[in-house]
Amino acid sequence: MLGHIAGRPSPSWDKIQAVVVLLMSYIALRKMPANGPRPFQRLHRFLKGYTPWQIIIGALTTVYAAHHADLLVGLTPAEEEKKMFSRRYTPGYTRGVWILSALDAGFFTSQNIRPKVLRDTMSALFSVYYLFFPKRALEKNYMMIQNITPVHMRRSWEKMLHPLIRLMTWVNAPRLGIRREVKVQLSKAQGHHSDAIVTLTIFFKGTEEEYARSEAFIYNTPGGGFVAMNPRCHADYLMAWAGQTGMPIVSIDYKKAPENPFPSGVHECFDVYALIASTKGACIGMKGLVQPRIAVVGDSAGGTMASALMNMLIEEAPELPKPVGLVLIYPCMQVGLDFWISNEDLAVIEEEISRGPIPEDILKARPGRGDGMTLNSKAAFMDDSILSTTFMRALMVMYIGGDPTLDHKTDYLVSPIHTPDAILAQYPRTYMITGEKDPLVDDSIIFMAKMRRAKRAAGADLESDILRIVSGVSHAFLQMTGIVPEMKDLVRVVGEEIVDILKVPEKQADWGETSTASMVNVAKPKSVPNPRSISAYAAQWENNYTRDAVTIYEHRRVAYLDQLGIDTHDD
């Protein structure tokens, strides 16, 4: 309150207020009569009939009732809260958000404590406190996000490196034969973009000999908002995939912003891929006798890196072996905060809807039709519990940096959603999976529609290109693998997709034979069929827990009407 009276609310004023309150309390205890002022003397005589235990419980109950008086008498808009939580997310994802929010708040609170052992201890204790007081956790996180810095972000997002969480991850993960870090040297003299030593983390279920003879592996570009999280922060689901697929996972710790803004991370992902492919894996300990099949897998910002890597391979290095498939998990395909879906993008979506596999009863009131319902998912879910607009703004500013010549609306290494059709038509089999309530979900819908349009025009295979939208979840669901049982099923389904992508093909073609230049002049470029064949379990899971674009746009329309006070629900 003192800070607001002074017109300068800040933590400094909050500290002064706390000191003043404690000082006044001390004076009241030491200088005033033991029975208190005259009005309290009657209360003192009344309380003599109760035990200290009863007095403590009564006092705490009174304070609790006073704190929630507005809720008890109906002054709080409880129905809006119901719409926000019970209608937006599934129960499992809501529990995951609750736990992650408590952990974030606990790590934020303890970030200035030294030494590290004490900070780790206190962060665990604070996190437990915030589990019991989730609204305080939301308040703490909201306050921190308003002035988020890379240091804050890394302390919060890299919570998986906490000793206790690492122990829990190890206990729940499959036993692997190999889990180690490998360093590779990049050199400008060899055509790389920088002279750097890059750390890769390898996860593999088998022996060293089996690893050396591997004919397929997963190249992982992990997410972290472009600024945080090395491969160890993703160990829970990467170890699960390593155990499930039986294939090596090579995860790159690429350079992070803001110390290394765009394009440092993209170039490093490309250079390391090029080095591994050109040496047939010899640079990371494989025998290098055969060209391994590679699936590129990236989540969130790592999905951006994976798609940008694919663009560079097609446009700048057509001679290199290309991945046999891409797996993009809730990727950020457009670095920017535009809140409107352009007429051009909506036309592409409607074209794909009319052809399938997206049903055509969608967007009956869309751009150019005067209904105003053209806001994209970043606007629809701008208050998302995981990826709010304020948070995205900070991430994007850090990633893009201060380059005045960079145009994020045209540069398709920054924003892969703007990738030209000539390049999209050469994409390998692509699997995208994202959350229905993710602020980035429209990025995936538009990107997949554009890619299918480009492949169809070029006569390329597109039947195995799949977009899955998971019902009732938002961003970062892979980070909930260890705390939400339902997410383990999701990780298993994605693992099955990776196995199918990396299966031994009946006839392997050379992707490097078709260049970007030839795409411009050749109507039907050479395609590499990689037919999709998934298990009955994965098919049933997708049928039960994923939605098509039609449904999610209808649900978003209902959400807009909710905000206008028009209740369209039966409950």
Side-chain angles (χ1 to χ4, degrees):
M1 182 182 72
L2 295 181
H4 289 83
I5 293 175
R8 292 289 186 273
S10 67
S12 299
W13 274 107
D14 291 342
K15 183 184 293 186
I16 293 173
Q17 179 173 305
V19 171
V20 170
V21 171
L22 292 175
L23 181 61
M24 293 178 63
S25 299
Y26 174 79
I27 294 174
L29 291 172
R30 297 288 296 176
K31 302 300 183 181
M32 298 185 69
N35 293 336
R38 187 179 298 275
F40 287 89
Q41 293 178 5
R42 292 183 179 179
L43 179 62
H44 175 71
R45 290 192 294 270
F46 172 75
L47 293 177
K48 283 184 177 181
Y50 296 90
T51 65
W53 169 253
Q54 291 174 316
I55 293 174
I56 291 174
I57 295 299
L60 292 176
T61 302
T62 301
V63 171
Y64 185 84
H67 183 69
H68 295 86
D70 56 344
L71 181 64
L72 295 173
V73 299
L75 299 179
T76 301
E79 177 62 20
E80 292 303 317
E81 185 175 2
K82 176 184 176 185
K83 291 177 183 178
M84 178 179 177
F85 291 100
S86 65
R87 289 178 180 167
R88 173 170 288 187
Y89 303 140
T90 64
Y93 188 83
T94 301
R95 285 190 291 269
V97 170
W98 164 54
I99 295 173
L100 289 184
S101 295
L103 290 171
D104 286 343
F107 280 65
F108 280 142
T109 303
S110 63
Q111 63 183 336
N112 294 324
I113 297 177
R114 301 288 186 277
K116 183 178 183 303
V117 173
L118 181 59
R119 181 172 68 244
D120 289 340
T121 302
M122 296 308 299
S123 63
L125 295 177
F126 287 140
S127 296
V128 172
Y129 164 80
Y130 285 116
L131 283 173
F132 286 94
F133 299 97
K135 289 187 177 181
R136 295 297 301 271
L138 293 176
E139 293 171 359
K140 180 69 176 181
N141 293 337
Y142 176 80
M143 180 181 69
M144 295 299 299
I145 289 173
Q146 300 310 303
N147 299 284
I148 197 74
T149 68
V151 174
H152 297 152
M153 198 173 301
R154 289 163 186 163
R155 286 278 168 80
S156 168
W157 280 17
E158 295 179 354
K159 61 179 76 69
M160 299 300 295
L161 302 180
H162 188 281
L164 183 59
I165 299 179
R166 288 176 62 188
L167 175 61
M168 294 172 61
T169 300
W170 180 83
V171 169
N172 294 320
R175 303 283 79 87
L176 302 181
I178 298 176
R179 181 184 175 184
R180 66 165 180 261
E181 291 185 349
V182 174
K183 296 185 183 296
V184 296
Q185 176 72 56
L186 301 180
S187 171
K188 288 184 178 180
Q190 298 179 5
H192 300 141
H193 291 84
S194 64
D195 296 313
I197 297 177
V198 184
T199 301
L200 308 174
T201 303
I202 298 175
F203 304 89
F204 183 55
K205 185 178 181 180
T207 64
E208 291 286 352
E209 179 62 24
E210 290 172 332
Y211 170 75
R213 291 187 287 105
S214 297
E215 296 183 358
F217 70 89
I218 300 161
Y219 183 61
N220 173 243
T221 54
F226 307 107
V227 302
M229 301 181 72
N230 60 38
R232 290 183 299 161
C233 298
H234 300 259
D236 48 358
Y237 66 86
L238 291 179
M239 292 175 69
W241 283 339
Q244 176 186 359
T245 65
M247 299 177 188
I249 297 178
V250 181
S251 186
I252 179 174
D253 185 10
Y254 53 85
K255 285 186 175 68
K256 305 297 193 299
E259 296 86 354
N260 300 282
F262 174 85
S264 298
V266 174
H267 286 169
E268 206 157 80
C269 291
F270 170 80
D271 289 339
V272 170
Y273 178 95
L275 181 62
I276 295 174
S278 61
T279 62
K280 298 182 179 179
C283 65
I284 55 173
M286 296 179 181
K287 290 188 176 181
L289 300 178
V290 298
Q291 181 61 56
R293 301 183 305 282
I294 306 173
V296 178
V297 180
D299 70 290
S300 192
T304 314
M305 297 293 176
S307 186
L309 162 65
M310 194 69 236
N311 290 345
M312 290 187 70
L313 286 171
I314 295 173
E315 189 170 40
E316 300 181 17
E319 73 284 354
L320 284 175
K322 304 301 186 293
V324 296
L326 292 181
V327 177
L328 307 178
I329 305 166
Y330 42 79
C332 175
M333 306 305 279
Q334 183 172 17
V335 177
L337 290 177
D338 295 335
F339 286 162
W340 302 96
I341 304 178
S342 69
N343 288 345
E344 178 185 357
D345 288 346
L346 279 159
V348 176
I349 296 174
E350 289 185 329
E351 178 185 349
E352 289 306 309
I353 289 167
S354 65
R355 296 176 180 273
I358 305 173
E360 62 182 66
D361 55 333
I362 185 177
L363 302 182
K364 295 181 178 178
R366 297 314 290 175
R369 300 183 183 173
D371 65 346
M373 302 295 287
T374 56
L375 289 173
N376 63 21
S377 53
K378 288 185 177 112
F381 308 122
M382 64 190 306
D383 60 343
D384 184 69
S385 300
I386 299 293
L387 201 60
S388 66
T389 300
T390 303
F391 208 23
M392 283 193 288
R393 178 190 63 194
L395 294 173
M396 292 172 182
V397 168
M398 293 179 195
Y399 178 55
I400 293 176
D403 186 355
T405 65
L406 185 63
D407 185 358
H408 70 274
K409 293 186 177 181
T410 58
D411 192 318
Y412 45 88
L413 297 184
V414 178
S415 299
I417 202 169
H418 302 302
T419 302
D421 287 358
I423 296 177
L424 287 175
Q426 298 185 75
Y427 263 53
R429 170 176 165 179
T430 301
Y431 178 84
M432 304 181 75
I433 184 167
T434 186
E436 174 193 10
K437 309 298 185 180
D438 192 329
L440 305 178
V441 62
D442 279 356
D443 288 9
S444 296
I445 294 174
I446 295 170
F447 183 82
M448 178 59 74
K450 286 185 173 182
M451 185 174 66
R452 291 181 63 83
R453 179 189 64 178
K455 285 190 174 184
R456 181 179 291 108
D461 173 62
L462 52 79
E463 295 307 316
S464 296
D465 295 327
I466 299 297
L467 168 63
R468 291 288 178 252
I469 303 170
V470 186
S471 303
V473 306
S474 179
H475 202 71
F477 47 73
L478 287 182
Q479 299 299 320
M480 301 180 183
T481 305
I483 56 179
V484 180
E486 297 93 316
M487 298 307 157
K488 293 182 179 179
D489 296 333
L490 191 154
V491 169
R492 176 184 169 185
V493 169
V494 177
E496 290 196 11
E497 190 73 28
I498 295 172
V499 170
D500 189 58
I501 287 174
L502 286 172
K503 65 182 180 292
V504 178
E506 295 181 1
K507 183 178 180 181
Q508 183 68 37
D510 184 6
W511 270 81
E513 293 178 0
T514 305
S515 66
T516 305
S518 66
M519 283 294 302
V520 177
N521 300 318
V522 180
K524 293 188 176 182
K526 190 174 184 178
S527 63
V528 180
N530 188 357
R532 185 171 188 253
S533 176
I534 60 174
S535 68
Y537 170 82
Q540 183 63 36
W541 185 90
E542 290 181 349
N543 183 63
N544 292 340
Y545 298 106
T546 64
R547 286 177 171 169
D548 53 57
V550 177
T551 310
I552 74 161
Y553 278 118
E554 172 60 21
H555 277 247
R556 197 179 304 168
R557 183 188 69 82
V558 170
Y560 285 137
L561 294 177
D562 281 346
Q563 293 178 5
L564 295 173
I566 304 173
D567 194 348
T568 60
H569 303 281
D570 295 332
D571 56 337

